[in-house]
Amino acid sequence: MTDDISVPGAPASRPAPFDEPTTPEGPLPPKADQSGPEPRTPTGARSADTPPAVAQQGEYLTSAQGARLRQTDRSLKAGPRGPVLLQDHHLREKITHFDHERIPERAVHARGAAAHGTFTANGAAESVTCAGFLRAGVTTPVFVRFSTVLGSRGSADTVRDTRGFATKFYTEEGVYDLVGNNIPVFFIQDAIKFPDVVHAAKPHPDREIPQAQSAHDTFWDFVSLHTEAQAHTIWNMSDRGIPRSFRMMQGFGVHTFRLINAQGETVLVKFHWRPKIGTHGQLWEEAQLSAGKDPDYHRRDLADAIESGAYPQWDLALQVMPDSPDETFAGIDLLDPTKFVPEELAPLHVVGTMTLDRNPVNYFAETEQVAFHPGHLVPGIDVTNDPLLQGRLFSYIDTQITRLGGPNFAQLPINRPHADVNDMLRDGMHQSAVHGGVAPYHPNSLDGGCPFQAGADVGAFIDVPAVVAESVKERTQSASFEDHFSQVRLFYRSLTPIEQQHISAAYAFELGKCYEEAVKRRQLVALANVDAGLCATVAASLGLDAPAPTLEPADVEPSPALRMVGETWPIDGRTVGIVADDATDVSELATVRDAVHAAGAVPLVIAPHGGMLGEVPVQRTTHTAASIEFDAVVALADDPSAETTRVFEEAFRHGKALGATSAGAGVLDRAHITRDAPGVVVADADAAVDALLRLLGAHRVWERLLAG
């Protein structure tokens, strides 16, 4: 029934009354879609506390020390017009705490969104790793944080940027963090260059602009000179740099890792997250509209999908390669983080599925305070000598100490392991464990010898005894790292024509924002080494001559697996706008809404006014609706407003499926949309909705976009 359809976005777990409540009662529970971290002690033991026990308590306002307070609206003064008194301890406590509520934001990945969920293994990894959470049938709690890289906490979600995809597995053998991105390669090969690339990509230090963008001189100056960055840059210029949703992003571990099984055998692997509903991007105009109309677009999309019951899912897959002495595969250096391994050469093996089904209760306590680290490993998973990964093993711990106020960040509730912790680490800022004993050192006899060193028979972590070749100490790298263009060419040549169009347009936009012509010309030389056609297209847009390549273009075999266009996918969580008004047949509106919901999509009713249409709630008015939030739109009413016309104009231009009944077809005419255009359906309500739902599986009507 229509009444069963959830309308996401309610701010609290029950509706607010009109009058200010005056009858004391305790804190409201979280919403049904929300859950905090599983209660654990600072040393990993299960806590007897329930989740509400760690939230605020009691029905009355108190001080931080628990004293009940009569009033919090006026300071203590010497008379109604006199000075505020220094003895006002409540004022001082309240203001002092407020003055210290903010903590340093992350230097990168500052803006993020997160969710709780579970990961269930299928056992396919048991032959290559002894990691317990990858055994068949094991279900592990997870917390996942998605993020942009460049922008500050207050920047927009839909900027062109790499997205972070960090997963914390709370395994029975300790915390395992898979800290990756939505792009499988990185800008640099060695961690020593990380400050350089971030300084180049961040806003210019004199004006502090542009925010959360790479379309400026310092970024392109760096990547055109330091050409190992070209591989990551072209991925950023693709549709993967402007994802439609966090739910529709792939995730990659970026680096090569080493797995060891119960027999002591090792393999090299790359980790992949594959979204069940496909990998999809926005168009550039959509991304710009989203940044202005709803800067929280991706955050809201993730939270609303979970609240609506459209739980995002990803398969975790491995590319498994031999642990050869040279640590290469098919001519690809597996220690070079600017390289990926095409799936046609090393197929993906799905080892489990992750489902995100609960939103955080408190953004700061969970999403902001979660601390990831590539060195949070469990038995069966080890690192390689990738020089970028090696530097990350230091940097992540270092930054958490600054950001979270000391070395005890693992004791924050969101970071607490779900395994016994007996680490001999003591004291420090914000120590919340109460350690017993007198001998936090090894060996000891005064505490009975505890903690004892673990052996392999009781699940000790395994530092794989990898062979280190005889060499000398020097600042250099392997000759194989010097290939900066073959995989850039491979990526570009693997894409469909419409995806290639989007890449050339992205380069033209970004370089067009640069001031220095020398920077533009230098990047054109890099593009000439990738593809002559790409270089010529971008050069023409900039009004410059296309240079000749400085290298012989590599002969590459395209990888169709890199394409985002050409398949159909489940439509779970897709949004469908339904235009209606007071003259719309309410039963027809309810039937359409129910059909969209039954297909797994989210119906959003758009009307000239808020409130209700009969018994159907209105979620968007003509003044608040925006084309960017709909994957398809159907008109059951002929709304003559300029706002609704704009929604259809933009949706048509963005290749979205559109429908109308005879009563609503006038909207198409006002938007100058031909009724027989690709992806446009005019029919009775049932047929129109059925056609739209089928079109949604392809993400867009690509035929319309290719036709221009």
Side-chain angles (χ1 to χ4, degrees):
M1 294 295 294
T2 297
D3 291 342
D4 295 332
I5 300 176
S6 170
V7 180
S13 55
R14 74 181 186 198
F18 179 80
D19 295 318
E20 179 183 355
T22 56
T23 302
E25 64 173 317
L28 296 182
K31 293 165 57 179
D33 62 289
Q34 295 176 325
S35 174
E38 179 182 318
R40 293 275 173 161
T41 71
T43 52
R46 291 186 182 275
S47 173
D49 290 335
T50 59
V54 298
Q56 62 270 37
Q57 302 295 310
E59 63 268 39
Y60 294 103
L61 175 69
T62 74
S63 71
Q65 309 306 316
R68 290 183 178 177
L69 298 173
R70 182 184 301 274
Q71 212 245 36
T72 191
D73 297 329
R74 302 286 180 267
S75 302
L76 188 65
K77 297 186 288 287
R81 299 174 65 83
V84 174
L85 301 179
L86 184 62
Q87 79 174 64
D88 190 346
H89 55 86
H90 175 43
L91 166 67
R92 287 187 287 112
E93 179 185 72
K94 188 174 180 180
I95 292 295
T96 298
H97 193 281
F98 172 77
D99 289 344
H100 295 271
E101 284 179 357
R102 300 280 74 81
I103 65 173
E105 69 173 33
R106 293 166 167 87
V108 287
H109 298 278
R111 182 172 180 82
H116 296 273
T118 56
F119 172 79
T120 301
N122 62 20
E126 290 185 35
S127 62
V128 294
T129 179
C130 58
F133 79 99
L134 291 173
R135 292 196 302 267
V138 174
T139 296
T140 301
V142 297
F143 187 72
V144 181
R145 186 178 188 270
F146 306 101
S147 55
T148 53
V149 174
L150 294 181
S152 65
R153 274 192 60 187
S155 59
D157 281 348
T158 59
V159 296
R160 183 178 295 281
D161 197 1
T162 303
R163 266 53 180 194
F165 193 132
T167 307
K168 186 175 290 290
F169 296 83
Y170 301 94
T171 87
E172 295 179 354
E173 298 176 298
V175 166
Y176 170 55
D177 287 345
L178 180 53
V179 194
N181 289 329
N182 74 321
I183 289 173
V185 294
F186 203 66
F187 287 110
I188 53 175
Q189 296 168 326
D190 192 308
I192 201 168
K193 297 302 295 178
F194 193 74
D196 298 298
V197 67
V198 173
H199 289 166
K202 284 285 191 177
H204 292 198
D206 53 352
R207 300 186 179 187
E208 184 61 12
I209 57 174
Q211 174 61 241
Q213 296 178 56
S214 56
H216 55 95
D217 286 86
T218 59
F219 174 79
W220 289 100
D221 182 45
F222 177 81
V223 302
S224 63
L225 289 168
H226 198 65
T227 53
E228 67 190 51
Q230 291 293 322
H232 192 157
T233 300
I234 197 168
W235 284 76
N236 256 18
M237 296 302 105
S238 77
D239 291 344
R240 294 172 187 263
I242 43 175
R244 158 65 178 83
S245 164
F246 292 139
R247 301 179 291 121
M248 302 171 198
M249 288 191 330
Q250 288 177 260
F252 302 91
V254 179
H255 310 286
T256 300
F257 291 85
R258 180 173 278 109
L259 302 187
I260 184 168
N261 64 15
Q263 291 74 43
E265 300 163 332
T266 61
V267 293
L268 300 178
V269 302
K270 286 186 176 289
F271 290 99
H272 295 246
W273 288 113
R274 304 303 296 261
K276 291 278 197 178
I277 56 176
T279 306
H280 308 295
Q282 288 190 304
L283 299 183
W284 180 229
E285 184 186 25
E286 280 184 295
Q288 293 175 303
L289 289 170
S290 302
K293 294 187 175 184
D294 187 3
D296 305 302
Y297 182 80
H298 284 153
R299 289 181 173 192
R300 192 185 319 280
D301 174 88
L302 177 65
D304 282 358
I306 292 173
E307 187 175 358
S308 299
Y311 300 138
Q313 288 189 309
W314 290 261
D315 286 331
L316 178 63
L318 304 180
Q319 283 182 299
V320 181
M321 294 150 288
D323 190 358
S324 60
D326 61 2
E327 295 170 307
T328 66
F329 179 77
I332 300 166
D333 194 325
L334 298 178
L335 300 188
D336 182 351
T338 68
K339 304 294 192 300
F340 65 94
V341 178
E343 293 175 26
E344 291 80 4
L345 299 179
L348 299 186
H349 301 278
V350 174
V351 299
T353 300
M354 178 172 70
T355 304
L356 300 183
D357 56 7
R358 290 165 292 131
N359 286 312
V361 170
N362 185 279
Y363 182 91
F364 180 83
E366 300 169 74
T367 308
E368 187 63 17
Q369 290 197 126
V370 67
F372 295 96
H373 173 42
H376 290 162
L377 301 165
V378 292
I381 304 176
D382 201 2
V383 299
T384 60
N385 293 335
D386 175 334
L388 177 59
L389 174 57
Q390 293 283 316
R392 293 178 73 199
L393 295 174
F394 166 79
S395 181
Y396 278 69
I397 289 287
D398 193 47
T399 193
Q400 309 302 357
I401 290 173
T402 296
R403 198 173 65 82
L404 297 175
N408 291 311
F409 56 83
Q411 295 181 10
L412 292 167
I414 192 62
N415 297 322
R416 290 177 180 175
H418 293 188
D420 293 343
V421 176
N422 194 347
D423 53 17
M424 297 195 299
L425 307 179
R426 294 294 186 267
D427 306 338
M429 293 285 288
H430 312 301
Q431 176 63 252
S432 56
V434 183
H435 296 105
V438 298
Y441 52 83
H442 180 84
N444 79 77
S445 64
L446 298 182
D447 281 348
C450 186
F452 296 89
Q453 296 181 115
D457 58 327
V458 290
F461 179 77
I462 305 164
D463 290 297
V464 177
V467 174
V468 179
E470 182 178 351
S471 189
V472 297
K473 182 170 61 178
E474 56 185 341
R475 293 188 185 272
T476 186
Q477 63 184 8
S478 300
S480 58
F481 279 44
E482 298 301 324
D483 173 15
H484 298 166
F485 289 101
S486 65
Q487 286 213 334
V488 189
R489 182 174 173 83
L490 166 61
F491 177 73
Y492 180 74
R493 291 249 165 152
S494 298
L495 303 184
T496 61
I498 189 67
E499 292 173 287
Q500 292 180 341
Q501 287 180 23
H502 293 168
I503 284 180
S504 62
Y507 275 112
F509 176 89
E510 298 255 329
L511 292 170
K513 288 284 189 176
C514 293
Y515 183 89
E516 295 290 346
E517 184 174 312
V519 171
K520 302 177 187 180
R521 289 186 178 278
R522 194 188 306 132
Q523 178 58 33
L524 287 175
V525 173
L527 294 182
N529 291 332
V530 175
D531 184 87
L534 170 62
C535 179
T537 300
V538 177
S541 178
L542 298 175
L544 299 172
D545 294 332
T550 59
L551 300 170
E552 182 68 27
D555 182 16
V556 296
E557 183 69 27
S559 170
L562 296 173
R563 299 168 186 162
M564 295 169 59
V565 175
E567 298 184 53
T568 57
W569 300 90
I571 64 171
D572 299 18
R574 294 288 190 161
T575 55
V576 178
I578 306 170
V579 176
D581 61 17
D582 291 308
T584 301
D585 185 312
V586 175
S587 63
E588 180 180 75
L589 173 60
T591 299
V592 168
R593 192 165 175 259
D594 288 342
V596 172
H597 180 257
V602 178
L604 296 175
V605 175
I606 309 164
H609 58 77
M612 305 288 287
L613 293 178
E615 296 182 354
V616 177
V618 174
Q619 287 115 323
R620 301 290 187 273
T621 70
T622 54
H623 299 289
T624 62
S627 66
I628 54 169
E629 61 182 330
F630 308 122
D631 296 294
V633 191
V634 59
L636 306 183
D638 185 10
D639 181 356
S641 70
E643 292 86 357
T644 296
T645 301
R646 187 181 306 114
V647 166
F648 274 79
E649 288 173 341
E650 292 174 352
F652 182 81
R653 193 162 65 244
H654 299 156
K656 296 178 179 179
L658 299 174
T661 61
S662 57
V667 175
L668 300 176
D669 299 333
R670 268 186 297 278
H672 305 290
I673 297 172
T674 306
R675 298 187 184 192
D676 61 355
V680 177
V681 181
V682 179
D684 63 71
D686 290 340
V689 170
D690 182 65
L692 288 194
L693 294 175
R694 282 187 277 108
L695 288 166
L696 271 179
H699 180 55
R700 296 189 192 277
V701 183
W702 297 107
E703 178 186 356
R704 189 194 307 158
L705 293 176
L706 278 169

